[in-house]
Amino acid sequence: MKKVLFVLSLCLIGFSTQSQEVKKKKSAKVTIEVDGICGMCKKRIETAALKTKGVKFAIWSVETHQLNLILDERKTDVETIQQNVLAVGHDVVLAEENILKATDEAYGSVHGCCKYRDEEIIKDHNGDLKKQKKQ
């Protein structure tokens, strides 16, 4: 009788620990804010995200600076995608005061019209391609 109770309690413990595991989604939707200024930035940011294993969909908006992603959390995480975007020279905004900056070398590798940190270049862009200032 003691053996039966012992086996049953082990089974119950096993099932309860399995149900407490955090389920990683196969198609998680995530949004990241990424600095950029033009269509060339758009292509570079989206390509960096899509080259990350597990990213199924990536589209970046020039107007809002939002990178919308669908990813397989079992294969990648947001931090990996952020690092890949930083590696191609684009800053990632976590919060208004918290920005992950791309290295000077990575930022220097972007095309001259894509220097989103330079106010003069921002002014040169017009229409839909102009970087929106936060107020």
Side-chain angles (χ1 to χ4, degrees), residues 48-49 51-53 79-89:
K51 284 187 176 180
T52 307
K53 183 178 180 179
E79 290 78 21
T80 302
I81 299 164
Q82 290 172 341
Q83 291 304 314
N84 289 346
V85 169
L86 290 168
V88 296

Side-chain angles (χ1 to χ4, degrees), residues 118-133:
D118 186 341
E119 291 297 321
E120 291 300 315
I121 301 221
I122 293 170
K123 289 178 186 176
D124 286 343
H125 284 81
N126 58 11
D128 293 332
L129 301 178
K130 187 172 182 179
K131 181 178 178 182
Q132 302 293 319
K133 282 292 203 178

Side-chain angles (χ1 to χ4, degrees), residues 109-121:
S109 71
V110 300
H111 189 270
C113 83
C114 297
K115 303 290 186 184
Y116 55 89
R117 294 178 188 165
D118 186 341
E119 291 297 321
E120 291 300 315
I121 301 221

